[in-house]
Amino acid sequence: MITSEEIKRRLWDGANELRGSMDASRYKDYMLGLMFYKFLSDKTLETFKVTSGLNNMSQTELVEEYSKAHNEFGEQLDKMIQNVLGYFVAPEYLYQTWIKDINSGDFEVQKVTDSLNNFERTIAVSDDASDFKGLFSSSTLDLTNTALGSNLNERSKNIKALILLFADLNMVALQKGDVLGDAYEYLIGQFAMESGKKAGEFYTPRQVSEVMAQIIAKKTDIKSIYDPTVGSGSLLLTVKKHLSEEVQKDLAYYGQEKNTATYNLTRMNLLLHGVRPEKMVINNGDTLSRDWPEDPERPNEGVQFDAVVMNPPYSVKNWNAAGLKVSDPRFEVAGALPPDSKGDFAFLLHGLFHLGQNGTMAIVLPHGVLFRGGAEGEIRERLLEKNYIDTVIGLPSNLFTNTGIPVAILILKKNRETGEPLLVIDASRGFTKVGKQNVLLEKDIAKIVDTYVERREEAGYSRLVKREEILKNQYNMNIPRYVEAIDEEIPQDVDAHLFGGIPQQNIDDLKVLQSTIPDVLNASLQEVRKGYVELVKPVKEISSLVFNDSRVLEKSKELEAEITTYIHKHFDTIRNVENISTLPQLMENMLIEIKVILSAFDNIDVYDGYQIIAEIWKQSLSHDTEIIALSDFYTAGRTREPNMVTKGSGKKTRVEQDGWIGSIVPNALVEKQLYRDELEEIETKKSRMQEIEAELADLVEAAKVEDSEEGNVLGDTLSEASEAFNSKALKAELKKVVKNSSEYKQLKHVEQLLSEKASLGREVKAHEKTLKEVAQERILTLTNDEIDNLMYEKWFGNTVNALVRLIELPLQNELNTLQMLHNRYAYTLSAIDEESRSLELAFDALMSELVVES
């Protein structure tokens, strides 16, 4: 059983190994193009098999049958497959034929070129023919490109390796669970990260797509969606993922892309994700220079869509090479033409022009559109006057691989109620650093989307802003004007520094402690003067009182019971999962429910709990539930697979099997839960080895500090001996020293220690090898109860404790603040002056005792 994660990893590892020095943004066209051609070949064979009733046949046999049938029925068979798929791949041009030629030694690169060229002639003459035309054009897949190899032999070798990368993948089967589409999208994302600045041409980062898609998907009656700068199609597909199956069936996808190679990539991506050709219209053209799509019957209205999403190139210069005027229907609503030096509003107005009256539009743009003046200021004023801007979401900087600038998502609607305030969200501080990039975690995305849906206000994060306030600011929508960041630094108090004591106001600001255990807090303080208090107990003692207080314990117990019930319920659901297509909804249900549970408890950060469950899915559930759905829970629990590891480096790198691993049950967990005594024995021996190492280190140091040449020689000898048992240095020194002397005894003691350490090392290695083999075999005979216990531990072993700790976390943060305040004001200025005077007097006394001799 191969999962989507394993396919992704294998394909990306293969891509890295094969592409050599070729630029990632270019190599992706070859890899993804050939992957798609394998899909077309597999679809052709599958259609032939189904229509011919040829079940239970190997692929090799199926190819032979297809070839025989083609020889007999020729054009009739071609038309039959073409009627079903809109295309066909003839037997001599199948991907499987390339593989057969590679295996027989008859492979020629020209055969691949001929196959790709021939595909164009197999497309049915129909309305949806454009969905397949030009997919393998020479501008996209030029197999004579010297980047693939400096000569024909080198190119042939590299192309063969790339073809074989997909040889054993059944693309039709993988498409059914959207595994194929996910793998394709994953590869696009990985190539984007490798491509750096060039990535902006074809990819929107997943977390940005998620925010936009989840907001758009809140509109349940979407029948059409349009992305005017479609790139690889990732935004359209992310929206699709968040819509119900019913909505997906009838959804029409529209997109336009200027770059031809990327335009081809978009069509492949949508087709691999199961989007029917008749449901997609993708155009290769310049979005700004000429309007598309157009309705010939209503040229000044434009085709309207229920949803518009876009991540256009930022601040494009000279965008108006076509000499467009403000009279262009797309720009009339703004009453001004965007400046030629910056095309941001040109893209926005294009999308808005195609937005239906009840639709929702989401666009990513640089922050400059919120405050720049001139024509952009006029456009912004007109959009606000017409009440089209619904929400502004400020995102962190450095989210994109191709630019470090911060961006904002603008949500636009044409049907907003008069006087409805504009929601401003400042999400710029909600991110995690991963390498050089800033990343939105699942909890950050969820918080943004929830705030949007609930139109929620939160100090330092979001505000509902009325038009009158924006008017006062002369239509400047710079986010800090409306959402002021909270300064978490507690101001210094001069009086407290001068005379001591903690300001009572700082104590009052400890809202969680004040609302949870005010009596415990107050009993730990005493007033030193009006408005200032001091601790009468150390913070460590106060902490113990707080966390052992019945109110805190009761609250923790209540949450523990809720979480335990929640986990048991979903554990049962997960064990019985049967269909891969239900997994996204299962994950969504778990995430929504944990928010509901945690929301009932005061002072808990609901989104920290959300992230805990999201991480469980990311780290194990996504992988494991897929395997369970393909077989069943207990079968998967007793299934193992080869543990393939990479050994060597450079040209000597090889992949080989190193034992077996459980498909879903980890070997280490089997060892930990079912072989505790054996593990304990191994750990005891390892502990003794560490004791020996420590003793040897002490002996070396003790010998080296002896104030003699013999001591240094002995230290050096011991040091060398401790690094390699039976070292020549140790044996040689034993021969030199007098038997039964102190040096001889010391060296013999070292010899004994090293002997014991080596013996223990051999025993540990042998025991670990035996335990590893036993655990591998044990997986095959696990009982149902054992699988239940092991998988519960793997998925949810620490989850209850992790979620209950969310009650303690805000209390602990405020106790830390209390300690900080105590430390800050513990030493008053007068106390410091007194200490300084004391030190001066001591210094003067010391000076007077000094006698200066002449």
Side-chain angles (χ1 to χ4, degrees):
M1 289 177 289
I2 186 167
T3 66
S4 57
E5 289 304 312
E6 288 157 350
I7 290 171
K8 291 173 189 175
R9 188 167 56 249
R10 193 186 88 179
L11 292 179
W12 181 243
D13 288 347
N16 276 334
E17 188 178 331
L18 296 175
R19 79 176 161 99
S21 60
M22 184 183 284
D23 181 78
S25 64
R26 188 73 186 91
Y27 185 76
K28 78 176 190 311
D29 297 333
Y30 293 99
M31 182 170 185
L32 297 176
L34 291 179
M35 182 177 174
F36 186 73
Y37 193 82
K38 174 67 160 64
F39 167 76
L40 297 174
S41 295
D42 285 1
K43 286 286 279 185
T44 297
L45 286 174
E46 175 75 6
T47 304
F48 170 70
K49 182 174 80 171
V50 171
T51 53
S52 304
L54 299 172
N55 298 317
N56 302 318
M57 187 175 281
S58 71
Q59 191 165 81
T60 303
E61 293 170 333
L62 187 62
V63 171
E64 288 177 2
E65 285 298 319
Y66 179 44
S67 183
K68 287 178 188 174
H70 198 269
N71 288 335
E72 186 175 348
F73 300 105
E75 189 176 337
Q76 186 181 347
L77 178 60
D78 293 343
K79 286 201 173 297
M80 184 268 289
I81 297 174
Q82 194 181 61
N83 287 338
V84 175
L85 297 176
Y87 63 87
F88 67 91
V89 179
E92 66 267 34
Y93 297 125
L94 284 170
Y95 199 100
Q96 287 76 6
T97 303
W98 303 348
I99 295 169
K100 183 181 175 184
D101 289 347
I102 290 171
N103 292 334
S104 65
D106 297 327
F107 177 79
E108 293 180 1
V109 174
Q110 188 58 44
K111 182 71 170 285
V112 178
T113 303
D114 292 344
S115 299
L116 299 178
N117 290 339
N118 181 264
F119 178 77
E120 194 80 13
R121 295 189 286 274
T122 71
I123 303 167
V125 180
S126 62
D127 292 340
D128 59 5
S130 61
D131 295 308
F132 298 97
K133 281 192 177 299
L135 279 173
F136 306 109
S137 63
S138 58
S139 61
T140 304
L141 288 174
D142 179 8
L143 298 181
T144 64
N145 191 331
T146 54
L148 285 168
S150 57
N151 55 58
L152 183 59
N153 284 338
E154 196 67 29
R155 288 196 294 278
S156 178
K157 177 185 172 184
N158 290 333
I159 292 166
K160 279 193 290 187
L162 191 49
I163 289 168
L164 292 174
L165 194 58
F166 310 111
D168 64 331
L169 296 181
N170 183 333
M171 301 300 195
V172 176
L174 292 176
Q175 191 197 30
K176 287 173 184 172
D178 219 12
V179 174
L180 183 61
D182 284 350
Y184 204 76
E185 187 73 14
Y186 169 80
L187 289 172
I188 291 171
Q190 292 298 107
F191 279 122
M193 283 193 285
E194 292 285 314
S195 300
K197 290 188 176 182
K198 294 180 182 179
E201 297 173 9
F202 62 88
Y203 190 68
T204 302
R206 185 198 68 82
Q207 64 258 31
V208 179
S209 290
E210 279 290 329
V211 173
M212 299 170 76
Q214 289 186 36
I215 286 173
I216 290 294
K218 296 301 174 184
K219 179 179 169 56
T220 56
D221 55 342
I222 299 177
K223 290 194 171 16
S224 61
I225 184 168
Y226 173 44
D227 185 345
T229 56
V230 73
S232 65
S234 63
L235 252 175
L236 292 177
L237 291 168
T238 308
V239 175
K240 172 184 181 284
K241 183 179 73 174
H242 289 285
L243 297 171
S244 70
E245 286 188 27
E246 284 303 309
V247 173
Q248 287 184 34
K249 283 178 187 174
D250 296 326
L251 186 61
Y253 301 81
Y254 283 73
Q256 180 159 235
E257 173 56 44
K258 185 177 181 179
N259 181 290
T260 302
T262 307
Y263 156 71
N264 289 334
L265 186 62
T266 311
R267 295 186 291 160
M268 294 180 196
N269 201 8
L270 265 64
L271 288 163
L272 284 179
H273 277 85
V275 177
R276 294 284 305 167
E278 67 272 13
K279 289 293 182 182
M280 54 184 269
V281 182
I282 310 297
N283 187 49
N284 187 196
D286 186 334
T287 291
L288 296 183
S289 65
R290 179 175 172 274
D291 186 31
W292 183 91
E294 288 182 303
D295 184 344
E297 295 181 8
R298 290 182 279 185
N300 292 324
E301 292 182 26
V303 177
Q304 306 281 285
F305 299 96
D306 298 320
V308 176
V309 290
M310 59 196 305
N311 172 29
Y314 303 144
S315 302
V316 173
K317 295 179 180 178
N318 304 316
W319 67 269
N320 194 11
L324 301 171
K325 305 296 182 185
V326 73
S327 57
D328 185 302
R330 294 174 292 172
F331 307 131
E332 277 182 338
V333 68
L337 202 63
D340 197 41
S341 59
K342 292 180 177 67
D344 301 315
F345 269 114
F347 285 108
L348 183 149
L349 292 170
H350 174 92
L352 185 64
F353 177 67
H354 288 284
L355 182 66
Q357 194 60 35
N358 296 308
T360 303
M361 173 178 167
I363 182 171
V364 191
L365 291 171
H367 276 254
V369 299
L370 302 175
F371 55 80
R372 289 193 297 246
E376 289 184 305
E378 292 178 38
I379 294 169
R380 192 168 56 249
E381 179 179 343
R382 181 65 70 89
L383 292 174
L384 287 164
E385 284 178 350
K386 286 191 169 289
N387 203 25
Y388 286 159
I389 303 177
D390 178 77
T391 304
V392 175
I393 304 166
L395 297 178
S397 60
N398 218 30
L399 286 178
F400 292 74
T401 53
N402 60 319
T403 177
I405 65 168
V407 296
I409 296 174
L410 274 65
I411 308 297
L412 297 100
K413 296 179 179 179
K414 291 180 176 177
N415 62 344
R416 281 166 43 84
E417 293 182 12
T418 304
E420 185 180 350
L422 182 151
L423 177 63
V424 179
I425 300 173
D426 183 2
S428 61
R429 291 176 294 280
F431 64 88
T432 298
K433 196 84 177 169
V434 178
K436 295 180 180 179
Q437 296 295 126
N438 294 332
V439 173
L440 296 175
L441 295 179
E442 285 79 2
K443 66 175 182 178
D444 303 316
I445 295 168
K447 185 174 181 179
I448 293 169
V449 176
D450 287 350
T451 303
Y452 166 81
V453 171
E454 298 167 20
R455 311 299 282 178
R456 189 170 69 204
E457 292 189 287
E458 180 184 324
Y461 187 76
S462 60
R463 257 193 76 207
L464 289 167
V465 182
K466 292 190 175 179
R467 184 174 169 277
E468 291 77 16
E469 186 177 349
I470 300 173
L471 182 60
K472 283 181 186 175
N473 283 315
Q474 298 178 320
Y475 297 98
N476 186 319
M477 290 171 56
N478 199 16
I479 291 172
R481 285 179 178 251
Y482 305 100
V483 180
E484 189 175 345
I486 296 174
D487 186 359
E488 295 181 356
E489 181 66 35
I490 299 173
Q492 302 281 341
D493 186 290
V494 176
D495 278 359
H497 279 300
L498 289 172
F499 307 112
I502 300 170
Q504 181 63 47
Q505 181 58 54
N506 292 162
I507 300 298
D508 294 340
D509 288 339
L510 301 175
K511 303 295 186 187
V512 182
L513 289 170
Q514 291 284 11
S515 64
T516 308
I517 38 85
D519 49 339
V520 175
L521 179 62
N522 293 331
S524 306
L525 303 165
Q526 69 177 17
E527 189 175 57
V528 292
R529 65 183 188 284
K530 188 172 177 58
Y532 293 86
V533 297
E534 66 181 9
L535 297 179
V536 295
K537 299 170 186 172
V539 173
K540 188 174 182 180
E541 185 180 332
I542 299 170
S543 298
S544 180
L545 291 170
V546 168
F547 293 124
N548 288 298
D549 187 90
S550 60
R551 288 160 292 186
V552 175
L553 292 174
E554 189 61 37
K555 191 177 178 182
S556 296
K557 201 174 292 183
E558 187 184 342
L559 180 56
E560 183 179 343
E562 291 266 12
I563 298 301
T564 302
T565 303
Y566 162 83
I567 289 173
H568 284 151
K569 169 188 162 186
H570 287 289
F571 183 65
D572 286 339
T573 305
I574 291 164
R575 285 189 305 177
N576 294 300
V577 69
E578 294 179 345
N579 192 331
I580 288 176
S581 64
T582 65
L583 299 182
Q585 190 57 54
L586 175 56
M587 180 177 74
E588 184 70 14
N589 291 343
M590 283 188 71
L591 290 169
I592 290 171
E593 191 173 336
I594 197 63
K595 284 195 297 182
V596 172
I597 291 170
L598 296 177
S599 296
F601 293 81
D602 295 334
N603 303 316
I604 282 183
D605 188 327
V606 170
Y607 297 101
D608 282 344
Y610 184 98
Q611 188 63 35
I612 288 170
I613 302 302
E615 288 295 330
I616 293 171
W617 272 93
K618 187 188 298 184
Q619 291 168 11
S620 57
L621 278 178
S622 291
H623 171 272
D624 293 351
T625 51
E626 196 175 321
I627 291 177
I628 293 165
L630 292 170
S631 55
D632 69 77
F633 181 65
Y634 294 115
T635 300
R638 283 185 280 269
T639 301
R640 64 183 192 179
E641 54 196 37
N643 181 32
M644 306 307 294
V645 295
T646 302
K647 294 188 176 181
S649 59
K651 292 184 177 179
K652 294 183 178 179
T653 301
R654 65 192 185 282
V655 177
E656 58 185 57
Q657 183 178 346
D658 179 22
W660 299 84
I661 53 172
S663 290
I664 61 172
V665 177
N667 294 27
L669 195 56
V670 172
E671 294 175 12
K672 179 183 173 184
Q673 297 283 28
L674 304 182
Y675 297 95
R676 287 192 178 92
D677 293 343
E678 290 83 348
L679 272 180
E680 192 174 324
E681 186 181 347
I682 290 170
E683 288 306 314
T684 300
K685 289 179 178 179
K686 284 183 175 179
S687 179
R688 175 57 188 152
M689 289 171 70
Q690 290 174 348
E691 289 174 6
I692 292 171
E693 287 173 3
E695 189 176 348
L696 286 169
D698 289 343
L699 287 169
V700 170
E701 288 304 312
K704 282 190 171 182
V705 297
E706 287 185 23
D707 191 19
S708 67
E709 185 178 339
E710 289 81 5
N712 288 331
V713 170
L714 182 61
D716 292 341
T717 303
L718 293 179
S719 182
E720 289 180 40
S722 66
E723 290 174 9
F725 177 59
N726 279 342
S727 70
K728 291 179 181 179
L730 179 62
K731 288 188 173 183
E733 197 63 27
L734 275 168
K735 289 177 182 178
K736 290 180 189 177
V737 297
V738 179
K739 280 193 176 183
N740 296 323
S741 65
S742 61
E743 290 88 348
Y744 183 84
K745 289 177 181 177
Q746 201 169 6
L747 287 170
K748 287 299 286 184
H749 179 52
V750 169
E751 187 177 41
Q752 289 167 356
L753 288 173
L754 288 169
S755 176
E756 183 184 357
K757 180 186 170 188
S759 177
L760 287 168
R762 288 191 294 271
E763 289 175 18
V764 166
K765 190 174 181 180
H767 289 175
E768 286 182 333
K769 182 174 183 291
T770 301
L771 184 56
K772 178 182 175 183
E773 291 169 351
V774 168
Q776 291 174 21
E777 292 302 315
R778 187 72 170 80
I779 287 171
L780 301 174
T781 59
L782 290 172
T783 66
N784 288 0
D785 285 344
E786 285 172 339
I787 293 170
D788 284 343
N789 293 332
L790 288 164
M791 294 310 297
Y792 190 94
E793 177 64 24
K794 177 186 179 182
W795 293 335
F796 304 115
N798 194 43
T799 305
V800 173
N801 291 337
L803 289 166
V804 170
R805 271 200 298 271
L806 296 178
I807 287 175
E808 298 177 0
L809 193 59
L811 291 167
Q812 187 60 61
N813 288 340
E814 291 197 352
L815 287 165
N816 293 343
T817 300
L818 188 62
Q819 182 70 66
M820 181 275 293
L821 291 167
H822 169 73
N823 295 342
R824 176 186 283 184
Y825 301 120
Y827 292 98
T828 63
L829 187 59
S830 58
I832 294 170
D833 285 343
E834 184 63 37
E835 187 178 348
S836 178
R837 278 194 297 273
S838 176
L839 288 170
E840 285 176 6
L841 289 171
F843 181 73
D844 290 343
L846 183 63
M847 290 293 291
S848 66
E849 292 175 9
L850 294 174
V851 179
V852 180
E853 295 182 2
S854 58

